[in-house]
Amino acid sequence: MSLPPLKSLPVFEAVARLNSFSHAAAELRITQSAVSHHIKALEDHLGESLFVRSGRKLELTLEGQQYLDTITSSLNQIARATDLIKGASETRLRLTVYSSFAVYWLIPRMPELKRRFPNLELTLEMSYAEPELSDRVADCFITIDKEKRGFHFDLLYKERLFPVCSTAYLEEIKHTLHVHDDQELHAHLAASPQSLANFPLLTSFSMYEKYTEEWRRWFASMGTNLPPNAQFHRFSHLMLAYEGAKHGLGVALINDYMLQSNSDDGLVRLPCSHYATEDHFYFAYKHSRRHEPAIAQLKQWIQQESSSLRV
């Protein structure tokens, strides 16, 4: 077995994580010269450069990045195995989650999580795009990506998008379309979904990395094309479109989990059909860590809380 200088591995991980020799030295309570010695010893053993300097900027080489991914996971496993033998149970978890999911669904429910598992310390890392599934990033993830070797994926729900607007704007829609109640509006939109394009539509780039795409798909699900006369307010992220709809800018398509905890904020669902996207949301974690108490607790709680989304 050809092992590297083992004492150098935590030093390498610290330098890569902190992107600094001096910060790593301070964290590890050793001299910066000692840090440099450890990195040189590791590079000599591997026969590869792990870092490259560009002025004051320190970056991992491709080989360094690949090595870091493996080393971080291995060091974490060693630490967890040691705690297990010592009788210590890890209660701290890092969860990477989409920003809208965190703000509108998870955070309002976290007091209940704290009551249920008072010793669980959860750190939220917000993601605006698909997170990199790696122990270096977080311990577990909410993601629509399920193509990662060595990870386990538990289905939370299948995404749907609903047209929503403010309560005041809903009355304006009824008045303009000459309907008197939700039942008449439902019949009108079912027969003529294009009439919704008479009102400003709110679109977000982040959902499909393309403006208006979510509305094109909604109209297609209703059996018609996106009307050429449609006018749009454009937002970079779904959260901004949500807020725009809440403040009466028009009609937005929002995710079902955003409706779950916001029934009293003045935002209402229009009485018309939803659009079922092809995205499935999963709770993801390393298969090798499936028996860890903290991950098992969080998994159990999230699955139970998300059960209403699967109806």
Side-chain angles (χ1 to χ4, degrees):
M1 181 181 296
S2 176
L3 293 176
L6 298 181
K7 290 184 179 180
S8 299
L9 298 182
V11 178
F12 166 64
E13 187 278 333
V15 172
R17 173 167 43 84
L18 300 172
N19 201 34
S20 168
F21 276 55
S22 59
H23 291 166
E27 180 179 286
L28 299 171
R29 298 183 180 180
I30 59 178
T31 66
Q32 188 169 335
S33 175
V35 170
S36 297
H37 175 77
H38 278 292
I39 298 302
K40 184 178 184 304
L42 189 56
E43 288 179 329
D44 288 344
H45 178 85
L46 297 171
E48 297 285 353
S49 295
L50 299 174
F51 296 96
V52 59
R53 289 187 180 273
S54 177
R56 293 186 177 182
K57 191 175 181 182
L58 183 68
E59 292 183 350
L60 284 164
T61 63
L62 177 60
E63 292 79 12
Q65 183 65 61
Q66 292 173 343
Y67 198 55
L68 175 66
D69 290 338
T70 303
I71 290 303
T72 301
S73 178
S74 300
L75 289 174
N76 286 336
Q77 288 185 12
I78 292 171
R80 289 190 294 269
T82 302
D83 287 340
L84 186 61
I85 293 297
K86 291 169 64 178
S89 178
E90 178 61 73
T91 60
R92 290 174 295 180
L93 280 181
R94 298 165 299 152
L95 173 65
T96 291
V97 60
Y98 299 116
S99 53
S100 57
F101 191 95
V103 171
Y104 296 110
W105 191 89
L106 181 59
I107 291 176
R109 290 167 169 78
M110 286 186 67
E112 176 58 29
L113 174 65
K114 192 63 179 176
R115 284 191 292 269
R116 181 94 172 264
F117 302 108
N119 295 325
L120 183 62
E121 299 178 35
L122 187 63
T123 298
L124 292 185
E125 299 285 349
M126 203 157 64
S127 173
Y128 292 100
E130 280 308 297
E132 178 187 359
L133 302 185
S134 167
D135 278 344
R136 181 170 49 83
V137 176
D139 301 297
C140 41
F141 306 81
I142 303 295
T143 178
I144 62 175
D145 177 19
K146 62 171 300 186
E147 302 298 328
K148 182 60 184 282
R149 189 174 180 180
F151 271 75
H152 189 84
F153 299 86
D154 292 308
L155 178 65
L156 297 181
Y157 77 102
K158 300 176 182 179
E159 184 183 51
R160 299 176 298 174
L161 299 178
F162 299 93
V164 298
C165 65
S166 68
T167 52
Y169 205 82
L170 179 62
E171 294 307 311
E172 183 176 335
I173 291 174
K174 291 177 183 177
H175 176 76
T176 302
L177 296 180
H178 306 293
V179 299
H180 301 91
D181 53 33
D182 286 354
Q183 186 173 358
E184 287 187 14
L185 180 58
H186 178 272
H188 182 95
L189 292 176
S192 180
Q194 302 96 326
S195 61
L196 197 59
N198 293 328
F199 308 94
L201 304 178
L202 280 57
T203 178
S204 59
F205 182 85
S206 61
M207 187 170 297
Y208 291 107
E209 297 187 345
K210 182 180 180 182
Y211 287 120
T212 75
E213 177 63 18
E214 75 273 37
W215 280 108
R216 185 193 68 77
R217 297 186 184 205
W218 183 83
F219 279 106
S221 73
M222 298 289 286
T224 187
N225 295 323
L226 177 65
N229 65 317
Q231 296 184 351
F232 293 94
H233 291 300
R234 291 170 168 80
F235 299 91
S236 61
H237 292 84
L238 182 60
M239 290 174 61
L240 299 180
Y242 174 98
E243 293 298 324
K246 190 171 72 173
H247 288 89
L249 284 179
V251 182
L253 278 175
I254 70 168
N255 198 301
D256 39 7
Y257 61 69
M258 300 175 79
L259 284 172
Q260 290 292 309
S261 58
N262 292 279
S263 58
D264 59 348
D265 65 356
L267 199 65
V268 293
R269 176 183 171 184
L270 270 69
C272 55
S273 297
H274 65 264
Y275 163 61
T277 76
E278 297 178 356
D279 289 334
H280 298 176
F281 280 58
Y282 300 91
F283 179 65
Y285 49 91
K286 276 281 188 70
H287 185 75
S288 59
R289 300 183 61 182
R290 64 193 182 281
H291 297 307
E292 290 183 22
I295 288 181
Q297 289 172 356
L298 183 59
K299 168 189 169 180
Q300 176 191 7
W301 179 79
I302 284 184
Q303 285 187 314
Q304 180 177 340
E305 288 293 315
S306 64
S307 61
S308 62
L309 295 170
R310 297 192 291 271
V311 298

